[in-house]
Amino acid sequence: MSNGHLAPRPGFVLDVDRSSPPVLFHHGEGFRLEKLPADRTRVIYPAEPLEGLADPDGAIRSALLNPLGDSEPLPALLHSGMKLTIAFDDISLPLPPMRRPDIRQRVIEAVLDLAAEAGVDDVHLIAALAIHRRMTENELRHAVGDRVYDAFAPSGRLYNHDAEDPDGMVVLGQTPHGEDVQFSKRAAESDLVVYVNINLVAMDGGHKSTATGLSGYTGLRHHHNVHTMLNSRSFMDQENSALHASNWRMGKVLRDADVKIFQVETTVNNNTFGREGPMSVLQKREWEWSPKDRAGFLAMQQGLKLMPSAAKRKVFSSWLAPYELTSVQAGEVEAVHEVTTANVYKQQLVPVEGQTDVLTMGLPYICPYNVNSIMNPILVMCLGLGYFFNLYRGKPLVREGGVLIMGHPTPWEFHPVHHPSYIDFFEQVLADTTDPAEIEKKWEKQFAEDEWYKHLYRTSYAYHGAHPFYMWYWGAHALQHLGRVIIVGGDTAAVRRMGFQPASTLQDALEMSTDVVGPQPTITHLKNPPILMADVT
Amino acid sequence: MKALEFRRNVPRFAAARLAGSLTPGRGASVGPLHLADLDPPTAPGPDWVRVRPRLSGICGSDLATIDGRSARYFEPFVSFPFVPGHEVVGDLDDGTRVVLEPVLGCVSRNLDPTCDPCATGQLGNCENTTFGDLEPGIQTGSCHDTGGGWATAFSAHPSQLHPVDGSFSDESAVMVEPTACAVHAALVADVPDGAIVTVLGAGTLGLLTIAALRTFAKPRTVVATARYPSQRRLAAELGADLVVEPDGIRRAVRRATGSRAVSIAGDDGAVDRLSGGTDVVVDCVGSSASLTDAMAITRPRGRIVLVGMPASVSLELTPLWHREIELVGAYTYGTETLPDGSTARTFDLAAGLVRAADLGRLVSATYPLHRYRDALEHAAAAGRRGAVKVAFDLRDEKEREALMEMSK
């Protein structure tokens, strides 16, 4: 591992042989050590964490003063009497939440310092959560820092975006494709919108920050749909993503509507679990585990086995990643995002030759939509078939008609406050059909327009009624591509409800996969997290 | 003749209650029910005839009796020992195939004048089921004098008998009586056109009620609960628009009606009750849980129709008071007034529905009388075992022919 003296090693592909040790699979709030078949299995390992910037605050200030693309430095855009809106990424980024100070806090404080110097006093800060759940006070404090929170929240100038506020949203126009561009009225009426992003994966950022984050169902439905997902191959690859293209079209409409955006994008390294400490073993390669690592891991395993689910969830939720800032760039949206994407790729991209018959993955305890919450079955599907499956450039890691095996406890359990519409989606919609296109056609509208879901989204901490649909659509490309999906160690009824096959062990799952792909299939294990993106040729 | 006889036997009744609480239907093995060799029935009056059952169904109320779960309310309305069985298709001695309408009203009790309900055809509401020439018994199957359908023969008054069309199978014919209960329930529900109706329970009565609602009312949406896959499939086939598991009914009705949920803890996503709700609930379960659900999902001034036999329940009645909900029972059948003002015998309406919806297919399993323990356990676990109606098949009982010979 990198110790600050040696250059971090890039990601790589390990060919498993008889001497290869068992591989660590994430398994929700737990882990499994799996012995993978020799001579036909490969494991894709993520790169070691890049070095973080030595002076994050200095780098941020420098980026604000030296913008990219057709943009003036931020101080030149600030003046007394102006209306300034600072929008920032919500609780879904980064994953897991990072240790204080959060990058958003650093950037926002820097922006506010410049605004104060320019005499700007009409400033609003908005958590750009689109139709995600609202952030709690503690979550907002964690993201922006206590100083910013105490200065703005009590006077109502720091708040969560409300996509269902009839007086707070406007439609600014349509793209040439007929897509409504719905936007926060406060942001639209501002002289300047500064967007503060944490770009964890290649899908994040760019025009998506504002065109999605400050939009609502009227706008989102144009790209958060089955057609878009089936034509995004993958949605992590901007060159081949219909999702990306739609957001870029909307970005042009925003520009044409005179919405001035100053984009600040940041990237973090792969230091998800720390270079030292009890969790550091999760980002080490198994054959390099020290006796201390092994003992620590075994002790952790034993401890987790004795804990009830709620206690395990609490332990894992309390983990804050020691992420380090690897880059920050600011200015015009597209110019900024081009550099950001290159920096994301620099950390995450791993070259892989050829596809596999069977793709395996161990799903961790967290995804963008269950921070401080429960990873319900729909989110398991979304993380595996949506996010992880789409972490490719070129072509999918698994061949068409191949098998995806993912491990996760997949409990039939939902957070009633955060995911009320998910409960109904799981119990009514998936009981009817699991076909994304049919679900979209038959069910989406009534959930999206449900007044109770709207009420809970606006006043409680619930995801919007349409959100579980988007989670299901996120996996549409994988569902179309794969011959079978098997979940290892999941709740049998929950797995079957989703149309997947349950298996008790990885060995059973591999045996079951031969029905689809034949005997002695090639196997690839995507060892994620820390995050990697496969560049498949 | 061979018969399943139910005797008054307090220790055995207690044993049945205990066994039935552990395994539904197990009361048949340890309780007061036993297979007996009885004398052929003696006609209680000059007009009475003998019926030799062909199929005789097992009903939820029968199972409650066998497992010791019946309410003490019924004690004055039965006479021991009795032979259960009131869902019957059988043969008369002259060869006529008949379906039994089992209610023992004033006419069969030789009471003249009749009570007001009987005078207007509301046989189920007869006020004299403990009086007249017969021992107490609300129906054939609970009256000592008449015998019952779980035997090779019993006695019936001609007013109780409906000849069966030759095109009707025995399986269809045995479904007429439970279907009549469902038709009556659907009409008691008095569903406004375009209303949302919720049917709780998808056992035989629940499924038949869904079919009856679709035929005799014009609801916009029928929501139903069903615990097992086969029940869910049948509920949808018979006309339910949305079928959910019992635990999900509050959420399902909330969505179907566009109501908001009210949670005791506030906006925590739980659904304790609804702001609005369904127009009508037809409760075909009759338990504390189902009635509590019904109260939670019925709109203000809505109606709950209790069809499932409830026995003793524990129930919070505040919503009934606060939301001015109407709670009505629906018991058996008689003469119905249809929405257009016309009247018809419930059994005639039921026979039409059985034919139109092919309800004979709901007879899932039949057993000979001597396998009554298996039959009753199967009936008690019908949903879980993918069955709907379980019946005794007496067509091959040797004694049927012997009785026929005796009558000659």
Side-chain angles (χ1 to χ4, degrees):
Chain A
M1 295 301 297
S2 171
N3 56 15
H5 300 289
L6 301 173
R9 293 177 294 182
F12 85 113
V13 179
L14 170 79
D15 288 316
V16 174
D17 60 29
R18 293 184 192 286
S19 67
S20 301
V23 176
L24 183 143
F25 278 50
H26 290 268
H27 193 80
E29 287 92 6
F31 310 97
R32 288 186 173 206
L33 285 176
E34 301 285 5
K35 187 78 178 166
L36 293 164
D39 303 327
R40 57 188 172 96
T41 303
R42 57 189 184 170
V43 181
I44 311 175
Y45 281 89
E48 290 180 340
L50 299 173
E51 288 300 319
L53 298 176
D55 177 13
D57 292 326
I60 290 166
R61 190 166 177 84
S62 174
L64 300 180
L65 299 177
N66 300 284
L68 303 176
D70 180 21
S71 175
E72 294 179 271
L74 183 58
L77 300 172
L78 301 170
H79 56 85
S80 176
M82 74 178 296
K83 198 180 265 191
L84 172 65
T85 295
I86 303 171
F88 55 92
D89 282 343
D90 75 343
I91 190 72
S92 60
L93 289 163
L95 296 174
M98 69 182 295
R99 291 179 188 173
R100 288 189 183 221
D102 190 284
I103 291 171
R104 284 164 289 208
Q105 176 185 340
R106 290 179 185 273
V107 175
I108 290 168
E109 285 180 348
V111 172
L112 287 173
D113 284 348
L114 293 173
E117 287 170 19
V120 180
D121 54 14
D122 184 356
V123 182
H124 281 210
L125 290 95
I126 305 176
L129 49 81
I131 61 169
H132 296 171
R133 72 169 173 87
R134 299 187 319 135
M135 293 171 75
T136 64
E137 177 182 334
N138 283 342
E139 290 164 349
L140 285 167
R141 283 184 180 278
H142 187 90
V144 304
D146 290 330
R147 189 163 69 93
V148 172
Y149 186 88
D150 289 333
F152 287 87
S155 56
R157 292 180 296 149
L158 165 60
Y159 48 86
N160 291 294
H161 173 65
D162 182 354
E164 289 292 347
D165 178 2
D167 300 323
M169 299 294 290
V170 289
V171 174
L172 295 175
Q174 278 195 338
T175 70
H177 288 60
E179 299 151 311
D180 298 307
V181 180
Q182 189 192 26
F183 205 59
S184 155
K185 192 173 178 184
R186 162 71 200 192
E189 292 176 348
S190 294
D191 298 295
L192 182 68
V193 176
V194 175
Y195 195 94
V196 182
N197 135 300
I198 300 177
N199 221 101
L200 192 68
V201 293
M203 176 188 67
D204 301 333
H207 290 300
K208 183 171 176 288
S209 294
T210 43
T212 291
L214 293 172
S215 188
Y217 179 67
T218 299
L220 299 175
R221 64 198 169 98
H222 294 292
H223 45 65
H224 280 55
N225 56 49
V226 177
H227 180 264
T228 300
M229 288 300 136
L230 291 177
N231 288 281
S232 296
R233 301 191 173 212
S234 71
F235 61 64
M236 295 288 182
D237 177 4
Q238 296 170 17
E239 304 299 317
N240 295 290
S241 167
L243 174 66
H244 175 89
S246 177
N247 274 287
W248 255 240
R249 288 192 294 271
M250 290 185 171
K252 184 171 185 314
V253 173
L254 290 177
R255 205 162 46 226
D256 293 346
D258 292 330
V259 177
K260 175 76 178 166
I261 297 169
F262 187 86
Q263 183 87 358
V264 187
E265 296 196 343
T266 63
T267 57
V268 293
N269 63 7
N270 255 351
N271 195 19
T272 311
F273 301 109
R275 295 187 172 92
E276 301 295 334
M279 299 282 268
S280 61
V281 70
L282 303 179
Q283 60 190 46
K284 293 180 180 175
R285 294 160 186 179
E286 289 81 358
W287 60 94
E288 294 176 348
W289 286 11
S290 66
K292 188 180 165 192
D293 291 331
R294 287 178 206 286
F297 178 77
L298 290 173
M300 184 162 61
Q301 281 281 69
Q302 287 306 315
L304 289 171
K305 277 180 188 166
L306 296 173
M307 279 187 194
S309 298
K312 279 194 283 192
R313 205 169 280 141
K314 197 170 178 184
V315 167
F316 276 81
S317 289
S318 67
W319 177 253
L320 298 174
Y323 285 128
E324 295 153 305
L325 182 68
T326 55
S327 77
V328 52
Q329 36 280 325
E332 187 274 321
V333 177
E334 294 181 17
V336 165
H337 195 62
E338 192 177 335
V339 178
T340 303
T341 304
N343 284 321
V344 169
Y345 284 163
K346 191 174 169 188
Q347 173 67 84
Q348 296 178 1
L349 216 53
V350 180
V352 179
E353 283 185 25
Q355 294 176 299
T356 186
D357 296 320
V358 177
L359 177 64
T360 64
M361 46 179 75
L363 301 183
Y365 65 98
I366 197 165
C367 79
Y369 316 107
N370 77 314
V371 178
N372 302 321
S373 190
I374 295 171
M375 179 94 108
N376 63 54
I378 297 162
L379 294 177
V380 170
M381 183 277 196
C382 176
L383 182 61
L385 275 69
Y387 283 88
F388 281 22
F389 177 88
N390 280 281
L391 275 167
Y392 75 83
R393 194 168 75 167
K395 48 192 174 185
L397 272 168
V398 57
R399 69 170 169 82
E400 189 164 5
V403 173
L404 174 61
I405 299 173
M406 50 194 195
H408 191 278
T410 321
W412 189 314
E413 194 179 355
F414 295 82
H415 195 296
V417 175
H418 295 161
H419 300 123
S421 61
Y422 280 63
I423 300 172
D424 297 342
F425 180 91
F426 195 71
E427 294 189 352
Q428 292 174 39
V429 178
L430 291 185
D432 180 43
T433 176
T434 57
D435 175 20
E438 200 178 331
I439 286 171
E440 182 179 50
K441 185 176 164 191
K442 185 172 172 185
W443 294 93
E444 181 190 302
K445 190 167 183 287
Q446 52 179 286
F447 270 67
E449 295 176 353
D450 189 301
E451 290 298 330
W452 185 55
Y453 298 148
K454 285 185 190 177
H455 170 74
L456 293 178
Y457 161 80
R458 297 192 66 193
T459 63
S460 181
Y461 296 96
Y463 283 84
H464 192 274
H467 202 259
F469 290 79
Y470 295 169
M471 299 301 93
W472 201 256
Y473 304 160
W474 241 230
H477 166 32
L479 284 175
Q480 187 187 60
H481 182 84
L482 295 165
R484 182 172 292 179
V485 176
I486 303 171
I487 297 185
V488 176
D491 177 287
T492 304
V495 170
R496 291 214 167 98
R497 170 60 58 90
M498 294 190 287
F500 306 145
Q501 287 198 337
S504 302
T505 66
L506 179 65
Q507 296 311 313
D508 287 350
L510 289 171
E511 185 67 31
M512 289 157 66
S513 72
T514 60
D515 294 345
V516 178
V517 293
Q520 298 290 304
T522 57
I523 301 163
T524 297
H525 179 62
L526 182 73
K527 197 164 189 308
N528 187 0
I531 298 173
L532 71 86
M533 181 169 170
D535 193 6
V536 185
T537 53
Chain B
M1 69 169 192
K2 199 187 287 184
L4 292 171
E5 188 183 46
F6 196 93
R7 290 184 171 275
R8 186 192 291 276
N9 184 324
V10 174
R12 280 188 171 271
F13 187 83
R17 191 178 180 85
L18 178 63
S21 68
L22 298 172
T23 307
R26 188 59 60 84
S29 301
V30 297
L33 187 75
H34 66 283
L35 185 61
D37 191 8
L38 305 177
D39 291 334
T42 306
D47 300 331
W48 287 66
V49 295
R50 183 168 61 189
V51 180
R52 288 175 294 119
R54 298 176 63 81
L55 291 180
S56 192
I58 300 170
C59 164
S61 61
D62 295 326
L63 291 168
T65 302
I66 303 302
D67 280 341
R69 289 184 283 109
S70 284
R72 297 199 64 181
Y73 170 88
F74 287 113
E75 284 182 16
F77 299 114
V78 298
S79 47
F80 292 94
F82 64 86
V83 175
H86 59 273
E87 299 175 354
V88 184
V89 55
D91 296 319
L92 303 182
D93 287 344
D94 66 4
T96 306
R97 200 161 56 118
V98 294
V99 164
L100 175 74
E101 183 169 352
V103 172
L104 294 168
C106 288
V107 172
S108 54
R109 291 180 173 279
N110 197 26
L111 290 168
D112 188 18
T114 64
C115 66
D116 287 345
C118 283
T120 55
Q122 311 303 329
L123 296 183
N125 302 128
C126 175
E127 297 169 357
N128 293 321
T129 52
T130 58
F131 306 109
D133 288 353
L134 297 176
E135 288 286 308
I138 51 175
Q139 294 186 336
T140 301
S142 63
C143 174
H144 170 72
D145 287 349
T146 61
W150 295 0
T152 46
F154 67 92
S155 297
H157 190 271
S159 64
Q160 294 181 286
L161 300 175
H162 298 260
V164 177
D165 186 321
S167 64
F168 248 58
S169 67
D170 287 336
E171 284 73 15
S172 291
V174 81
M175 291 303 296
V176 171
E177 194 277 344
T179 303
C181 291
V183 169
H184 182 64
L187 291 167
V188 167
D190 194 18
V191 177
D193 287 358
I196 296 178
V197 185
T198 301
V199 179
L200 302 179
T204 305
L205 206 45
L207 293 170
L208 296 175
T209 299
I210 292 168
L213 283 165
R214 279 296 177 204
T215 303
F216 297 103
K218 294 176 182 170
R220 172 163 56 93
T221 305
V222 176
V223 184
T225 64
R227 195 174 292 282
Y228 303 103
S230 60
Q231 292 178 334
R232 284 198 284 274
R233 179 179 54 77
L234 283 167
E237 275 182 32
L238 292 170
D241 301 288
L242 178 62
V243 187
V244 298
E245 291 180 13
D247 289 349
I249 189 58
R250 298 182 192 197
R251 287 185 171 277
V253 171
R254 188 206 67 73
R255 286 208 342 88
T257 58
S259 306
R260 295 189 183 197
V262 179
S263 165
I264 291 165
D267 286 337
D268 68 348
V271 183
D272 293 318
R273 52 183 176 268
L274 305 184
S275 57
T278 189
D279 298 292
V280 177
V281 172
V282 184
D283 182 352
C284 298
V285 180
S287 67
S288 299
S290 67
L291 278 163
T292 301
D293 277 340
M295 293 284 183
I297 62 175
T298 304
R299 69 163 167 80
R301 298 202 170 190
R303 172 176 284 205
I304 299 170
V305 182
L306 183 55
V307 183
M309 194 173 76
S312 294
V313 296
S314 174
L315 189 63
E316 159 78 74
L317 284 175
T318 309
L320 186 87
W321 165 77
H322 177 233
R323 295 159 74 86
E324 298 188 329
I325 292 169
E326 199 179 353
L327 175 61
V328 299
Y331 168 67
T332 65
Y333 24 73
T335 302
E336 309 293 347
T337 302
L338 298 171
D340 65 4
S342 64
T343 58
R345 293 290 298 271
T346 324
F347 261 59
D348 293 337
L349 300 173
L353 179 56
V354 167
R355 187 190 298 278
D358 186 21
L359 298 179
R361 64 192 157 119
L362 300 186
V363 177
S364 312
T366 58
Y367 287 81
L369 217 48
H370 72 272
R371 289 187 60 199
Y372 69 98
R373 292 190 176 101
D374 293 336
L376 291 165
E377 286 195 24
H378 192 172
R384 182 165 53 80
R385 294 170 66 174
V388 181
K389 175 59 69 183
V390 177
F392 290 110
D393 186 346
L394 299 112
R395 289 172 291 201
D396 294 330
E397 295 285 349
K398 290 177 185 169
E399 288 186 8
R400 289 187 94 248
E401 301 310 317
L403 287 166
M404 187 66 187
E405 289 304 313
M406 283 171 63
S407 70
K408 290 174 182 173

